[in-house]
Amino acid sequence: MSVLIAIPARYASTRYPGKPLVGLTGATGQAQSLIERSWRAAKSVAGVDRVVVATDDDRIRTASEAFGAEVVMTSEACANGTERCAEAHAALGGSFDIVVNLQGDAPLTPPWFVEGLIEGLKAAPEAEIATPVLRCDGATLNGFLADRKAGRVGGTTAVFGAQHQGLYFSKEVIPYTNATYADDADTPVFHHVGVYAYRPDALASYPDWPVGPLEQLEGLEQLRFLENGRHILCVEVAARGRQFWELNNPEDVPRIEAMMAEMGIE
């Protein structure tokens, strides 16, 4: 099966304008832009036929082509990364069997997360979308709960059925548990990691569906699939000691740089 990774990237972020071009300094003191590090993460994934940056901005295009990336230009009307991936796939002829959306703000995404999604879709013909979930330890769960108590949005959590079919995703901490967990203890809460693998039919349909009430309330693009009755496969992955974090705000830069230094990422 042919696999495309598309990295959606836009310049006009509300919270952090110009984010894809922000420099991140690695363990050796070498600075690379966020979009370049995301592209290099995509290139490290096994079993992929093509990797493209999908953007609507000439500044991102110029920077991406300078480090060797293939770029597909998309419209400014794309509301989220899934819509941008759909447009990019269509521009390339719509011929891939699996399209992966590797967010342009997640340069520390381990390659085995994406490889697990690809294998998950191949093994589950009933699934139309796959996305990774990571079981929270007590420290992570307690951090999420502290964020919510303080009025901050922490990580997104996911609940799924016995066959790992996604039931719901939320910025609240779900499912509810009143138990207390040690920092290193497993918990029943799963952290959703914002990477997606789509079958082409589901991806092509997505931009034509209106934004539903759940997507609007939560601000989570994957809920549009659930609201339209599509099967999302939640693939459980393991961190294997790897740290990862999405770059959403300027204050995330030193945190990610510290993680790269600790993991020896150049």
Side-chain angles (χ1 to χ4, degrees):
M1 301 178 77
S2 57
V3 179
L4 168 73
I5 293 182
I7 306 170
R10 66 189 184 105
Y11 192 91
S13 169
T14 302
R15 286 184 293 179
Y16 198 168
K19 181 172 67 173
L21 302 183
V22 168
L24 293 172
T25 301
T28 61
Q30 179 182 3
Q32 294 177 353
S33 67
L34 173 62
I35 189 63
E36 181 174 359
R37 291 193 179 278
S38 298
W39 177 78
R40 294 188 183 281
K43 296 290 283 186
S44 71
V45 177
V48 172
D49 298 280
R50 196 168 178 179
V51 175
V52 301
V53 172
T55 188
D56 58 6
D57 191 273
D58 285 331
R59 289 163 290 190
I60 296 174
R61 176 179 189 165
T62 298
S64 298
E65 290 179 341
F67 60 72
E70 179 182 1
V71 178
V72 177
M73 296 302 291
T74 56
S75 72
E76 295 180 358
C78 294
N80 56 41
T82 298
E83 290 191 9
R84 201 171 301 282
C85 287
E87 191 171 309
H89 184 230
L92 294 172
S95 59
F96 288 87
D97 298 308
I98 294 174
V99 180
V100 175
N101 172 355
L102 181 62
Q103 308 279 14
D105 57 7
L108 301 184
T109 302
W112 60 88
F113 281 20
V114 183
E115 292 159 4
L117 296 189
I118 294 168
E119 293 306 312
L121 273 189
K122 289 179 178 179
E126 72 282 0
E128 297 170 282
I129 308 98
T131 193
V133 293
L134 181 68
R135 187 182 292 274
C136 291
D137 59 18
T140 303
L141 174 57
N142 292 333
F144 287 174
L145 292 171
D147 281 340
R148 297 306 298 127
K149 187 175 182 179
R152 299 185 297 266
V153 174
T156 297
T157 57
V159 292
F160 47 86
Q163 303 304 314
H164 280 74
Q165 181 173 355
L167 299 176
Y168 196 64
F169 301 84
S170 182
K171 290 178 180 176
E172 288 289 352
V173 179
I174 56 174
Y176 168 76
T177 172
N178 63 358
T180 300
Y181 300 92
D183 282 353
D184 60 350
D186 285 341
T187 79
V189 176
F190 283 82
H191 180 196
H192 173 243
V193 182
V195 184
Y196 306 93
Y198 320 97
R199 297 199 193 277
D201 289 347
L203 180 61
S205 298
Y206 183 92
D208 295 330
W209 298 326
V211 175
L214 297 178
E215 180 185 358
Q216 188 170 34
L217 286 167
E218 294 267 13
L220 296 174
E221 63 195 276
Q222 68 271 31
L223 291 176
R224 197 182 309 181
F225 287 111
L226 290 185
E227 290 186 274
N228 285 276
R230 298 305 178 111
H231 184 135
I232 299 179
L233 175 69
C234 292
V235 178
E236 187 172 352
V237 295
R240 303 182 193 173
R242 178 75 173 263
Q243 299 181 74
F244 58 93
W245 197 267
E246 292 181 2
L247 199 162
N248 294 311
N249 305 288
E251 53 266 31
D252 293 327
V253 171
R255 177 180 293 183
I256 291 176
E257 289 180 332
M259 289 179 179
M260 290 194 297
E262 185 174 339
M263 292 184 286
I265 297 175
E266 297 183 356

